[in-house]
């Protein structure tokens, strides 16, 4: 039978008596979906084809994965699975009745319970007709359904279960916290200690480990502690849970989730997220005035209403007739409910050529080598999304000739404009406590989360996220001794503070505030909004100015002192991402967004922010850490905890942001001699399975002052074996074991000096039989390989610091946990607005109101 029969339908019908015999060989491969199985009957795993598409959708009767016409053969060849359920939805014009009205003629109305209807169609004129059939490969035999009498019972049960199965995405939505939370049994009778604790609106950290992410406020005693470490690498060190076990205080609220509508509350006793009907009262006990937030945010006062409305109108270019754009690169993304942050970021990401080449350019290879379940593969889903946005298949303009032809044939083929990122969002947010919810999120946080996933899932020889990576030089100076320390860290975003004191319209702002207060007191409508106008140069200046260092310990003075830190660019990225730090908290705990206008330049030159390193006349701070005495040490030994060692905290936080336990990050940075996050990352990968992986770092020290980094491991004679930790680190960089041992012995087990030693001896060659104490190396045959190995520092694409603006993401609303995101991109010489599914030519791009800006380097 010809392959075309599969797509014509009906040409390969089998005689009724032969159906059972035909299916017998395939019965072991046909499964009945169970309650935990995910049935993908609405979307292809490799494309955005669905039963609405021209070729319909093929659902594997064994894995329950869905495939479009272009991808079904790939799955058949890879798995040998032969039986698929073909689903097709037809849209037809209703037959007019005798009175001239349309008669409802809906057939098989309940065949696909979870298929969404096309909102572009007029339900009075069109209806749906659903069709299902079994297709057997490779001969493409088709068996129309329902066919209960002729089919074996197992096949009938499997087909019925598949057709009635819920969409995996809708199941996730119905299981979200918002729909299942129950009031805690402790909420009404919760005892709160009158201990005078007041929680500030920012600057929180865990009281036990100094972690600054995933923090929980205990509602009984006001303790701020970190959450648990989850299987996906997110979370903290579990100190909030430990505190509950010690005290029995049952309820905690997650800091950063407090909004006018409530907050995320967890009950340790009930072991689940809960509702706290008295959350406002419980937070007020610690100085967090949610009631005031509720009044402001709900608009019970008039003073906040007009500015928000104005902002929405300006950013979305309301009131202006915008021309829709179609074709490759002009595809919209459906909002799944508070998913506009994802839509805006992904539009910007796939406007960058390096990401286009990495995923769409490598699409055939990525698809061919995808795992058996491509819905759970990051690169497959990135390639799918990129192809959906750039192919133009889902962004076609309506054609009058096609519409006329469709009406003549009494069948309407709806235009598939835009894509729905359900599968993509479900995968990349899996296990993440915030992005897996249906709440609004911060686009900047999602951008960093995406870059983290790109880093963990390399595709090809070049990682596309390299275009964002740059090195920051941090110069820390002791204000008393004037000595300095230079360190480097990796970053992906330039965060610019808003220099409110530099507003050029201060008189107007003062007058507006007086009028607003008068109108509020008199219960009159507020005056017309006056937005603060901030020069971009002032924000850039604020970025480059020194900032105070909290709890600074001066190694020159051997005591705490005042310290200041200044940041400069040790390298400039290919693409510069600039975030305007608009979001903050007031002293009354009301989340505030600075409603400002900043004259962001189309062309940006930050060459003057290039790092210069240690300058003549500057003296470096000694590389030592303070001795720590623990008087109650049961072993009579003094110890150095990790917090006292000279550990590069910027590298520690980089690793912690990837989701690794904080203590493990500290150990990784310590044991790799403060050589940066990338080297420490290799240590983490090599030691993740060890039982004490997340245990605190404690280094024995018998009263002496320990040096920082690798030297803190102690002095080991050349006759002794170097620490295996250091040997493993050097091996992980691509060097041979014997060479690593030789280098460590030659440098007294100093990891940083050992690496320098390796590169300063390119003429050495390892002996084939290692003699660890009397090793003579000559004529290293691998010298070229060693010289080319990027063993030190992260991958960067340094170049000139001159840039041109090509995109920006804007936020509307009062906080990152509410509102809406829109993306503007410059394509083919003109600005385009991407507002979820709506893609139009921009007439007045609001470049002064953006939140995240994207610049690309100008070639020199």
């Amino acid at each position: 039978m010809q392959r075309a029969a599969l797509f014509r339908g009906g040409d390969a019908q089998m005689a009724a008596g032969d159906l059972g015999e035909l299916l017998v060989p395939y019965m072991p491969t046909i499964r009945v979906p169970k309650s935990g199985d995910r049935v993908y009957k609405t979307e292809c795993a490799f494309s955005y084809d669905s039963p609405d598409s021209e070729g319909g959708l093929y659902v594997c009767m064994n894995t329950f994965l869905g495939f479009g016409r272009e991808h079904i053969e790939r799955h058949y060849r890879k798995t040998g699975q032969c039986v698929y359920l073909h689903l097709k939805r037809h849209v037809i014009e209703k037959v007019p009745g005798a009175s001239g009205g349309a008669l409802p003629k809906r057939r098989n109305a309940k065949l696909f319970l979870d298929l969404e209807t096309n909102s572009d169609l007029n339900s009075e004129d069109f209806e749906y007709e659903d069709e299902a059939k079994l297709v057997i490969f490779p001969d493409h035999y088709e068996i129309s359904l329902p066919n209960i009498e002729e089919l074996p019972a197992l096949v009938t049960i499997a087909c019925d279960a598949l057709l009635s199965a819920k969409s995996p995405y809708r199941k996730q939505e119905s299981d979200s916290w918002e729909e299942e939370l129950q009031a805690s049994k402790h909420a009404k009778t919760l005892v709160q200690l009158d201990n005078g604790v007041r929680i500030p609106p920012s600057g929180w950290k865990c009281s036990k480990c100094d972690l600054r992410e995933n923090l929980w406020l205990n509602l009984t005693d006001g303790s701020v502690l970190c959450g648990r470490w989850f299987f996906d690498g997110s979370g903290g060190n579990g100190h909030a849970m430990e505190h509950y076990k010690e005290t029995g205080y049952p309820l905690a609220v997650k800091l950063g989730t407090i909004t006018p509508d409530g907050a995320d509350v967890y009950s340790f006793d009930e072991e689940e997220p809960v509702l706290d009907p008295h959350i406002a009262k419980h937070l007020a006990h610690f100085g967090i005035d949610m009631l005031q937030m509720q009044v402001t945010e709900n608009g019970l006062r008039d003073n906040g209403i007009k500015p928000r409305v104005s902002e929405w109108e300006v950013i979305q270019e309301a009131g202006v007739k915008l021309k829709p754009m179609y074709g490759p690169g002009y595809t919209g993304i459906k909002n799944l409910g508070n998913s506009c942050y994802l839509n805006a970021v992904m539009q910007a990401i796939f406007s960058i050529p390096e990401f286009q080449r990495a995923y769409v350019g490598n699409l055939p290879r990525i698809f061919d080598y995808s795992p058996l379940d491509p819905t759970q593969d990051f690169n497959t889903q990135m390639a799918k999304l990129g192809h959906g946005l750039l192919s133009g298949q889902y962004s076609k303009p309506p054609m009058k000739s096609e519409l006329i032809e469709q009406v003549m044939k009494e069948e309407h083929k709806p235009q598939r404009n835009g894509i729905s990122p359900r599968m993509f969002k479900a995968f990349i947010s899996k296990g993440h406590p915030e992005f897996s919810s249906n709440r609004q999120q911060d686009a900047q946080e999602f951008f960093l989360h995406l870059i983290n996933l790109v880093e963990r899932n390399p595709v090809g020889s070049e990682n596309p996220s390299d275009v964002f990576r740059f090195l920051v030089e941090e110069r820390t100076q002791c204000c008393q001794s004037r000595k300095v320390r230079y360190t480097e860290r990796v970053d992906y975003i330039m965060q610019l503070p808003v220099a409110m004191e530099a507003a050029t319209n201060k008189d107007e702002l003062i007058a507006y505030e007086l009028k607003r207060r008068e109108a509020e007191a008199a219960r009159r409508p507020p005056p017309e909004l006056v937005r603060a106008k901030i020069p971009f140069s002032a924000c850039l200046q604020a970025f480059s100015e020194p900032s105070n260092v909290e709890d600074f310990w001066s190694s020159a003075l051997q005591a705490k002192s005042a310290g200041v830190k200044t940041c400069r660019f040790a390298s400039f990225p290919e693409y510069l991402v600039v975030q305007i730090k608009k979001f903050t908290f007031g002293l009354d705990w009301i989340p505030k967004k600075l409603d400002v206008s900043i004259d962001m330049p189309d062309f940006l030159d930050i060459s003057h922010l290039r790092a210069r390193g240690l300058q003549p006349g500057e003296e470096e701070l000694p590389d030592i850490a303070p001795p720590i005495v623990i008087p109650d040490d049961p072993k009579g030994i003094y110890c150095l905890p990790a917090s006292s060692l000279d550990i590069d905290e910027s590298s520690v936080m980089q690793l912690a942001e990837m989701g690794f336990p904080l203590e493990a990050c500290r150990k990784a940075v310590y044991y790799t001699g403060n050589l940066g996050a990338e080297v420490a990352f290799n240590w983490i990968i090599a030691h993740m399975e060890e039982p004490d992986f997340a245990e605190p770092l404690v280094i024995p020290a018998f009263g002496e002052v320990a040096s920082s980094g690798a030297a803190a491991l102690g002095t080991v004679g050349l006759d002794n074996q170097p620490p295996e930790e250091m040997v493993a680190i050097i091996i992980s960089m691509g060097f041979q074991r014997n060479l690593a041992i030789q280098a460590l012995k030659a440098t007294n087990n100093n990891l940083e000096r050992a690496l320098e030693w390796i590169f300063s001896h390119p003429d050495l060659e390892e002996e084939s039989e290692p003699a660890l104490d009397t090793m003579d190396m000559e004529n290293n045959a691998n010298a070229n390989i060693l010289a080319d190995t990027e063993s030190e520092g992260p991958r960067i694409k340094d170049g000139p610091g001159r840039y041109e603006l090509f995109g920006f993401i804007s936020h509307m609303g009062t906080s990152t946990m509410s509102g809406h995101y829109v993306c503007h991109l410059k394509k083919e010489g003109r600005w385009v607005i991407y507002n979820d599914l709506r893609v139009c030519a921009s007439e007045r791009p609001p470049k002064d109101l953006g939140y995240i800006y994207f610049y690309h380097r100008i070639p020199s």
Side-chain angles (χ1 to χ4, degrees), residues 721-733:
Q721 186 79 352
E724 193 61 31
E725 301 276 5
M726 296 184 179
V727 176
I729 292 168
I730 297 179
I731 292 175
S732 71
M733 298 177 186

Side-chain angles (χ1 to χ4, degrees), residues 374-422:
T375 68
Q376 303 302 304
D377 180 62
F378 176 76
N379 291 331
T380 299
Q381 293 309 308
M382 281 287 284
K384 170 185 172 178
L385 182 68
H387 181 263
L389 294 176
L390 301 175
S391 65
Q393 293 182 11
Y394 308 101
S395 179
K396 298 179 180 179
M399 298 180 62
K400 293 182 179 179
S401 58
E402 289 185 1
L403 292 175
I404 295 174
E405 181 182 357
Q406 291 166 9
V407 171
M408 295 293 291
K409 293 182 178 180
E410 296 186 355
E411 183 174 351
H412 181 81
K413 297 181 180 178
Q415 297 292 329
R416 283 295 307 275
N417 281 333
I419 59 178
S420 176
R422 288 184 182 274

Side-chain angles (χ1 to χ4, degrees), residues 611-857:
R612 295 177 295 174
L614 188 68
Q615 296 297 295
E618 289 184 333
E619 186 177 353
E620 289 190 272
L621 284 164
D623 195 13
I624 58 176
I628 300 296
V629 177
I630 305 177
D632 297 329
D633 189 349
K635 297 182 180 180
I637 298 175
Y638 295 153
C639 295
L640 294 177
S643 59
S644 71
L645 300 172
D646 187 11
I647 295 178
D648 182 6
E649 291 298 330
S650 62
S651 296
V652 173
M653 295 313 299
Q654 274 183 261
L655 296 169
E657 288 172 359
M658 296 181 186
F660 299 112
L662 184 65
E663 293 300 334
C665 299
R666 290 184 181 278
K667 286 200 285 189
V669 174
Y670 171 77
Y671 283 127
T672 55
N674 290 322
L675 292 182
E678 191 156 333
V679 178
F681 177 79
N682 293 332
W683 186 95
I684 286 178
I685 298 301
H687 296 79
M688 286 185 67
E689 303 301 324
E690 296 179 0
D692 61 344
F693 175 66
E695 294 297 320
L697 170 64
V698 178
I699 302 299
F702 298 90
E704 77 276 12
V705 176
S707 62
S708 66
L713 290 174
T715 301
V716 181
L718 293 178
D719 295 339
N720 298 327
Q721 186 79 352
E724 193 61 31
E725 301 276 5
M726 296 184 179
V727 176
I729 292 168
I730 297 179
I731 292 175
S732 71
M733 298 177 186
F735 299 110
Q736 298 296 320
R737 178 179 179 83
N738 293 340
L739 183 61
I741 295 175
Q742 174 82 352
L744 287 169
K745 286 192 171 188
T747 57
N748 200 20
N749 295 319
N750 185 301
L751 183 59
E752 186 172 3
R753 290 172 51 207
L755 291 172
E756 295 175 356
W757 186 91
I758 290 176
F759 285 101
S760 64
H761 294 75
D763 56 335
L764 297 180
E765 180 183 12
E766 287 184 76
E767 292 185 353
S768 56
E769 293 294 330
L772 297 181
D773 295 326
T774 58
M775 190 181 300
D776 292 325
M777 302 177 68
E778 300 175 352
N779 234 350
N780 190 349
N782 294 325
N784 293 332
I785 297 177
L786 294 177
D788 293 339
T789 303
E790 295 182 359
S791 61
E792 293 190 57
R795 303 179 306 275
I796 58 173
K797 293 178 177 287
D798 197 7
R802 297 184 300 276
Y803 296 91
E804 180 179 0
L805 181 69
F806 74 93
F808 59 95
I809 294 173
S810 307
H811 175 268
M812 297 152 280
T814 56
S815 77
T816 56
M817 291 174 285
S818 62
H820 183 58
Y821 287 96
V822 169
C823 179
H824 283 76
L825 296 172
K826 194 172 186 180
K827 291 191 174 183
E828 300 177 322
R830 71 173 302 167
W831 284 97
V832 180
I833 178 173
Y834 293 81
N835 190 354
D836 291 334
L837 283 173
R838 190 179 182 214
V839 181
C840 300
S842 174
E843 297 295 333
R844 297 197 293 259
K847 289 182 284 187
D848 59 324
L849 299 180
Y851 174 46
I852 302 175
Y853 294 84
F854 294 85
Y855 286 86
H856 67 81
R857 179 185 291 146

Side-chain angles (χ1 to χ4, degrees), residues 227-293:
R228 72 182 70 181
W229 182 45
F230 297 108
F231 68 91
D232 69 321
S234 64
N237 297 314
H239 289 137
M241 175 64 76
E242 291 179 6
H243 185 66
Y244 161 70
K245 292 178 179 178
E246 295 170 359
T247 63
Y249 301 156
L251 297 183
V253 59
K254 186 173 185 181
L255 293 176
T257 68
I258 302 171
T259 69
D261 299 321
D264 288 353
V265 181
Y266 188 84
S267 172
F268 297 108
D269 177 52
E270 296 159 279
E271 298 184 343
E272 63 180 353
V274 295
L275 289 175
D276 181 0
H278 308 284
I279 184 63
K281 171 188 171 184
H282 293 155
L283 290 174
H285 182 81
F286 300 108
I288 305 172
D289 193 350
M290 269 193 66
L291 294 180
Q292 179 69 17
M293 291 173 61

Side-chain angles (χ1 to χ4, degrees), residues 359-556:
Y359 295 104
V360 183
N362 287 324
L363 184 140
R365 183 179 64 84
I366 293 174
F367 283 2
D368 286 341
Y369 290 95
S370 64
L372 293 180
D373 186 357
T375 68
Q376 303 302 304
D377 180 62
F378 176 76
N379 291 331
T380 299
Q381 293 309 308
M382 281 287 284
K384 170 185 172 178
L385 182 68
H387 181 263
L389 294 176
L390 301 175
S391 65
Q393 293 182 11
Y394 308 101
S395 179
K396 298 179 180 179
M399 298 180 62
K400 293 182 179 179
S401 58
E402 289 185 1
L403 292 175
I404 295 174
E405 181 182 357
Q406 291 166 9
V407 171
M408 295 293 291
K409 293 182 178 180
E410 296 186 355
E411 183 174 351
H412 181 81
K413 297 181 180 178
Q415 297 292 329
R416 283 295 307 275
N417 281 333
I419 59 178
S420 176
R422 288 184 182 274
M423 188 177 293
F424 180 78
K425 182 179 184 297
F427 174 72
I428 64 169
S429 63
K430 183 176 62 176
H432 194 285
E434 295 300 329
F435 299 131
S436 60
S437 73
N438 294 326
R439 296 184 295 271
Q440 185 64 278
Q441 303 297 333
D442 188 345
Q444 179 254 359
E445 292 181 1
F446 177 75
F447 171 80
L448 292 177
H449 175 67
L450 180 74
I451 295 303
N452 182 24
L453 291 175
V454 173
E455 293 279 0
R456 293 188 183 191
N457 298 272
V459 52
S461 59
E462 186 173 346
N463 194 317
S465 64
D466 291 352
V467 300
F468 296 124
R469 188 185 299 106
F470 59 93
L471 293 177
V472 177
E473 177 194 83
E474 292 185 342
R475 177 185 181 271
T476 305
Q477 183 175 34
C478 171
C479 295
Q480 188 170 343
S481 68
R482 313 302 296 175
K483 295 182 179 181
V484 298
R485 174 182 295 117
Y486 285 87
T487 58
E488 288 187 351
R489 62 176 172 84
V490 172
D491 214 332
Y492 296 89
I493 293 181
M494 179 185 187
Q495 294 183 312
L496 280 187
V498 178
M500 291 296 294
E501 68 281 357
T504 59
N505 58 340
K506 291 181 180 178
D507 293 341
E508 296 178 45
L509 292 171
I510 294 173
Y512 164 75
E513 184 62 21
L514 291 174
K515 291 179 181 179
R516 186 192 65 79
R517 291 182 180 180
E518 292 174 359
E520 180 180 343
R523 297 184 179 275
R524 295 196 308 266
E528 184 177 352
L529 170 70
V530 176
R531 183 175 284 116
K533 296 180 180 179
I534 312 295
F536 173 77
S537 57
C539 298
L540 202 59
Q541 178 65 28
F543 170 83
S544 61
E545 289 178 351
S547 59
N548 293 327
V549 180
E550 294 183 7
D551 299 325
F552 176 71
W553 186 86
S554 172
S555 58

